[in-house]
Every structure is written in structure tokens, then in C-alpha cells.
Amino acid sequence: MSDTETSRERSSIKFPYGDLEDAVQVAQAVWSQGLSCELDRVAAAMGQVVSGTFRNKIATAAIFGVIETARGEVSLTDLGEQIVDPQREDAARVAAFLSVPLYAQVVETFKGRRLPAESGLEAEMVKMGVSPKQVGKARQAMNRSAEFAGFFSLGRDRLIAPTAATLPGVTPPPPPADLGPIPENLSGLANDPLIVGLWKRLPPAQVGAFTSEQQAEWLEAATVILRMLYGSGGTRPSHPKPEPTDASIS
């Protein structure tokens, strides 16, 4: 097989083969053992063995951002802790769904519009970077995850992100005391579960806690969410050229 043929089989955009419910099951298994535990203990808590099927579920949970793995140990992220918390799980599901680059791009592309038929949606996914050989599974996993996260509340032909008003039990944390009250024009934004979930994904500020790849993925998710909230219109402001100084005049 040539390098060109191989590259066509690989997807250039990240997505899981499992669904969000699989990711939540993994997070709940980890939580039953503490904030972190060995891989085999997670498998035992799920009634499974460390096999290819189990590792696919671990990979799925990692792509949704609810766990991290290192040296045979699985740890819950902040989002993972939220998604196993009955009082915060609804907003966390939304944030986890949008943390998948493929899903976030589909939501952004069809914001406020009907989804095309299956073949049309798969064609769009291929344009976004999904391998043609994987696109069927990618679409099916996305649909299951969207249903689980509440994105089909208005029908399966539209992906609509749930808002704070439609998510039961969502009570965003208050702002830090040293920042003062939230300005009135931003109070609704501060309560939006997408913003809250995105903010919670930031790790503590310390060297090595946030790799360059993780930063790029976080910024990509932030861009999509801001476009969803504010739209993508507008023009770039023009900047006047600086006046020449005496030193620059010949």
C-alpha cells in the first residue's frame, strides 16, 4: 500500500469510536475506586478484563476529556469529576461532547440549520478530516453521544446545545471573591454551561500541567463555543499606520 493510500485511511480530526455513555461509565468506574487507580482496577470495576474492547473505552473517555492516563494509571479530570456528580452531570455532558474536535466542528457548521441526510452528513465529515472508511462509525457514535448529552431536544435533524435554562440542576459556581461581582451584561454568559465547562477544563497553573497539544485543543474548543454564542460575523478592525519619526525621515 502506498503512502498516499495509507494517508487516505487515516482521519486528520480527532473523534472517539465509542460514545459519551461509554466515557461516563469509565469515569464512574474510576470514581468508585477514588480519583485515580490502576487500569486493571478500572476494568474490574466495570466487570471486564483489560482487552482491546476495554482499551477502546479508555481511549473514548480520554478523547471526551473525562480521564487522563499515564504509566498504567487512570485519573479523573476536573470534567470527569463533574460528569459523575449528579448535580453537575448535565452541563458536564455538554462540555464533554463539545470537547471532541469533530463534534464541535459539526455543531459549528450546522448551527441553527437542519442536519443533512446520513449520506450528506458523512460527506461533510469527510471534508472535516474523517477517513471515508471510518465515517459511518464516526457518525453513529456522534449521534449516540448527541442524544446522551441532550443535543437532540428539538429533533434528531438539529444539533442544539442545551442551555443553563434547559439543563436540570445546573448551578454554576460563583465567581472568586477577589474578582468582584460579574458585570450585568456578562451575567448570562457566566451562567452558560458551555463557558463553565470550558473554564473547568483548565488545569492548575504549573509547568507541564498543560501540554502544547492540550492547549491547542482547548483553544479550538473555545473558538467554536465563542462562535456559537456570538456568531462568526464582523470585520477585523483596521489599524492606522504609525506616523514616521524624525529618525525614519531621510
Side-chain angles (χ1 to χ4, degrees):
M1 182 180 296
S2 67
D3 291 341
T4 301
E5 290 172 334
T6 301
S7 64
R8 287 177 180 172
E9 294 182 358
R10 295 176 180 171
S11 297
S12 59
I13 189 169
K14 186 178 290 188
F15 63 91
Y17 286 105
D19 55 44
L20 182 55
E21 189 169 8
D22 290 333
V24 172
Q25 290 174 355
V26 171
Q28 290 172 337
V30 176
W31 177 249
S32 71
Q33 306 298 308
L35 295 179
S36 64
C37 64
E38 294 79 11
L39 197 64
D40 56 350
R41 289 178 58 192
V42 180
M46 297 177 66
Q48 300 182 19
V49 295
V50 180
S51 62
T53 299
F54 171 74
R55 290 185 184 279
N56 283 337
K57 290 190 175 184
I58 292 294
T60 292
I63 292 174
F64 277 109
V66 299
I67 65 164
E68 294 175 339
T69 60
R71 297 181 295 277
E73 187 166 281
V74 185
S75 303
L76 284 179
T77 62
D78 287 342
L79 182 59
E81 291 187 49
Q82 294 172 44
I83 217 162
V84 298
D85 183 343
Q87 295 185 357
R88 297 186 291 173
E89 63 180 342
D90 296 290
R93 290 180 184 182
V94 175
F97 182 86
L98 290 173
S99 70
V100 177
L102 173 63
Y103 300 171
Q105 189 164 338
V106 172
V107 170
E108 169 62 18
T109 300
F110 294 100
K111 179 177 60 179
R113 300 156 62 188
R114 291 184 63 193
L115 294 172
E118 291 181 359
S119 59
L121 181 56
E122 289 183 5
E124 292 298 322
M125 286 181 162
V126 170
K127 294 177 185 178
M128 295 173 187
V130 179
S131 164
K133 290 189 174 182
Q134 300 169 335
V135 70
K137 292 181 179 179
R139 176 187 56 79
Q140 293 167 14
M142 186 192 73
N143 284 345
R144 293 195 302 270
S145 297
E147 181 75 37
F148 191 69
F151 278 75
F152 285 147
S153 59
L154 299 182
R156 296 184 65 85
D157 63 343
R158 297 178 189 274
L159 279 171
I160 307 296
T163 63
T166 61
L167 288 172
V170 174
T171 307
D178 59 333
L179 295 181
I182 297 175
E184 184 176 352
N185 65 319
L186 296 180
S187 59
L189 181 64
N191 289 331
D192 193 290
L194 304 183
I195 295 295
V196 173
L198 183 67
W199 185 261
K200 287 288 187 180
R201 294 283 316 264
L202 287 172
Q206 62 187 47
V207 176
F210 206 22
T211 67
S212 56
E213 181 180 356
Q214 291 172 326
Q215 292 175 35
E217 291 178 357
W218 189 93
L219 290 172
E220 182 179 354
T223 299
V224 171
I225 288 173
L226 290 176
R227 284 177 181 169
M228 290 173 58
L229 295 174
Y230 292 106
S232 57
T235 58
R236 187 183 298 274
S238 59
H239 299 283
K241 295 181 179 179
E243 295 292 332
T245 62
D246 292 340
S248 64
I249 299 176
S250 57

